[in-house]
Every structure is written in structure tokens, then in C-alpha cells.
Amino acid sequence: MALKACLFDLDGVIVDTAIYHFKAWRRLANELGFDFTEHQNEQLKGVSRMESLELILQWGGVTLSDEEKQQWAARKNEWYLAYVNQMTPQEVLPGVRDFLDSLRKAGIGIALGSASKNARLILERIDMLDAFDAIIDGTHTTKSKPDPEVFLLGAQALHQNPADCVVFEDAVAGIEAAHRGGMKAVGVGSPEVLTEADVVITAFTETSWTKLSDELLGWQ
Ligand code: G6P
Ligand code: MG
């Protein structure tokens, strides 16, 4: 293999929107008469909006019609977008911009692979729309991670073989998606949680493309 492209998840890798998802989902749960914990929110990382709603309703023991589900999901998204609209470029996670710059200089393709239907809006808010050669998001996919669809579409958009791609992910389901797609996976977060990742970093400030690529190719 050669390392020719990097595919990045958005939420939890480029920017931390989990807290905004949490606040919006908790409001939904509270309005439906039950509570929702941060621990439960962890389990929604990388999970699409409608699948997240299904899980939350299950946890709260609430049954809704399909139409009601659509209405609550739309309400949650409005509350979430109120936070997103306040986002600034300062919210990009430490080291991310420098890391992407070094990839560019090394001639590595860069794509986004996110389950979020709001990905473009978020990238616009943090001034990073131009940082990616391709953007694949929840508006392009029909299958959620751990299905590899989002990353395979990313590799295709960059005209690269999956075997030459590296995925950066904070979700267990995302690491599995990368591997199912035949790609390397770098976990961003805790090594205790991201046990299946090929390499785990806690932040982009602690690594460099040179160091990571050596590790991934087994030279270190
Ligand atoms: C990401 C987040 C999930 C979120 C999903 C859909 O994968 O980690 O928590 O549910 O995107 O986001 P959306 O912005 O489309 O509701
Ligand atoms: Mg994520």
C-alpha cells in the first residue's frame, strides 16, 4: 500500500459538535417527558439523525408515529442549528488546520466523510469549506457507519484505491467502517475506547503526517 489520501470524519475530529447534539437531544427527551445522559449521547457518535432518534425514543420508552418522528427530528435539528449558527473558526480542534496544511504540501488527497446532513453548513461556519478536495456527507449516503459507504464514496471522489486511504475517526462505528472499506483507521480520542484503530491519537497537536505515515506503514 501507499498512503495517498486522508478521509476525515467531521464531528469529534475536525470540530466538537457533540455538546450541541447533546443539548438538542436532551431538550427533545425532556419535552417528551424523560431525561437523556451524556453517556447515552456517546452512543450516538457517528449515528445518523433518524437512527439517533429511534435509539433515544427506545431509551425513553416512547412510541411515535412516523410522521411524529419526522416532526421531532426536524425540531431537534432546528435547536441544533441554533448552536451551529453561533459557531466560529476558533472552534476548529487544536492542530487540525496545521495537519491539513501539511497533507496539502505532501500532495495527499483530503476528503470529508461525515454522517451529518449539516456538514457543509458547519464547514462554512468554521471557514473550512476549501480545506477539502471532496465532501461526502449525510446527503450523499444511504447507509450509516459502520457501513463503509461514506468512505468508499470519498475514496472514489479522490480517485484513489481504498487500500491507499487513511480514515480519521472518533467513533467506534467509524473505525469499523474504515476497516470494512479496506482502509487504515486512525482513532482520534481514547485508546481504551478505539481499540480497533491502527493508531490512536488524542489530538492532532501530538502528531505529524510524517510520524503517522511511518507508524501506519509499520516503519516505527
Ligand atoms: C455525526 C454525529 C452524530 C449525528 C450525525 C448526523 O455522525 O456524530 O451524532 O447524529 O452526524 O448529524 P445531522 O447533523 O445530520 O443531524
Ligand atoms: Mg465523529
Side-chain angles (χ1 to χ4, degrees):
M1 76 172 291
L3 300 177
K4 295 194 176 154
C6 290
L7 313 179
F8 293 84
D9 174 46
L10 176 65
D11 296 293
V13 171
I14 301 292
V15 77
D16 205 355
T17 46
I19 183 68
Y20 306 137
H21 279 296
F22 174 62
K23 288 181 177 179
W25 283 128
R26 192 173 55 182
R27 177 165 174 189
L28 175 142
N30 290 169
E31 292 199 10
L32 286 169
F34 60 96
D35 207 6
F36 170 65
T37 65
E38 286 206 59
H39 174 73
Q40 287 170 322
N41 194 53
E42 278 299 304
Q43 298 173 55
L44 304 181
K45 279 188 177 174
V47 178
S48 74
R49 194 180 309 164
M50 290 313 288
E51 283 173 72
S52 298
L53 177 65
E54 295 286 356
L55 281 169
I56 292 168
L57 294 175
Q58 209 176 304
W59 292 328
V62 170
T63 310
L64 297 177
S65 67
D66 285 348
E67 199 189 329
E68 286 169 324
K69 282 181 195 167
Q70 292 296 339
Q71 287 166 353
W72 280 105
R75 253 174 241 159
K76 181 270 173 178
N77 197 48
E78 272 174 36
W79 299 329
Y80 175 66
L81 287 183
Y83 294 113
V84 167
N85 283 322
Q86 302 290 317
M87 286 177 81
T88 68
Q90 276 74 47
E91 283 177 68
V92 174
L93 289 169
V96 168
R97 283 184 204 278
D98 287 347
F99 189 80
L100 293 191
D101 283 348
S102 64
L103 292 181
R104 240 210 216 290
K105 287 191 188 113
I108 304 292
I110 307 172
L112 189 87
S114 166
S116 174
K117 292 189 157 81
N118 297 305
R120 277 189 170 268
L121 179 67
I122 294 169
L123 291 178
E124 203 178 301
R125 296 294 323 164
I126 59 174
D127 200 17
M128 284 195 74
L129 263 182
D130 294 342
F132 298 90
D133 302 315
I135 296 174
I136 310 295
D137 63 26
T139 65
H140 304 99
T141 53
T142 53
K143 291 171 234 149
S144 285
K145 300 169 189 175
D147 189 283
E149 184 186 27
V150 70
F151 296 132
L152 290 174
L153 289 173
Q156 206 176 61
L158 295 175
H159 309 290
Q160 297 297 345
N161 288 322
D164 298 333
C165 295
V166 183
V167 166
F168 292 78
E169 257 292 350
D170 69 320
V172 173
I175 303 284
E176 189 183 331
H179 284 156
R180 280 211 217 164
M183 305 178 189
K184 293 275 186 195
V186 174
V188 183
S190 153
E192 284 84 52
V193 178
L194 304 170
T195 52
E196 298 302 314
D198 297 292
V199 176
V200 178
I201 57 170
T202 49
F204 283 94
T205 42
E206 72 170 41
T207 191
S208 67
W209 176 240
T210 316
K211 182 167 179 270
L212 258 185
S213 46
D214 279 356
E215 283 172 349
L216 289 166
L217 291 167
W219 293 348
Q220 239 181 40

